[in-house]
Amino acid sequence: MTKLNFLASLTGLAALFVAACGSSAVPLDKLTDAKSTVRAAQEAGATNNPQAALHLKMANDELAATQKAMDDKDNDKARLLLNQAQSDADLSLAMARGAGDRQAAQEAQAKIVDLSKQAQ
């Protein structure tokens, strides 16, 4: 019975080793999310803001590198690049939206000043 337990333990360790060393595929939904965030940043005007445009370019470059890593079956590298791409796309989107919000606030402030001048 001890040989059977030893063999079961050894088989379990081997299975654990294979599972830990094997790299799983990149989740396609995360890839789709990153691409959607890049599109949203473009639509929000990231190309008109130098900092947002820089992060948008980085995200696009990282997405291209992710695809290459996936083609090369280097899923660990692809996952890392995909996480970087998502982060840069999120930052680009936030910067683009922030610039738009800032401009809208300035326009609203200008209207308030005009209205207060008219009221006097």
Side-chain angles (χ1 to χ4, degrees), residues 15-82:
L16 183 62
F17 179 76
V18 169
C21 292
S23 58
S24 60
V26 175
L28 294 180
D29 59 329
K30 286 189 175 191
L31 184 60
T32 303
D33 289 345
K35 288 179 179 180
S36 294
T37 305
V38 165
R39 275 192 304 279
Q42 290 169 335
E43 292 170 4
T47 55
N48 300 327
N49 178 314
Q51 287 296 322
L54 173 64
H55 288 283
L56 182 62
K57 181 186 179 331
M58 290 169 59
N60 279 318
D61 292 347
E62 290 157 354
L63 283 173
T66 297
Q67 189 61 53
K68 182 179 181 327
M70 289 171 61
D71 293 343
D72 294 342
K73 306 278 190 255
D74 190 351
N75 292 332
D76 292 333
K77 183 177 180 180
R79 250 190 317 288
L80 177 64
L81 288 164
L82 181 56

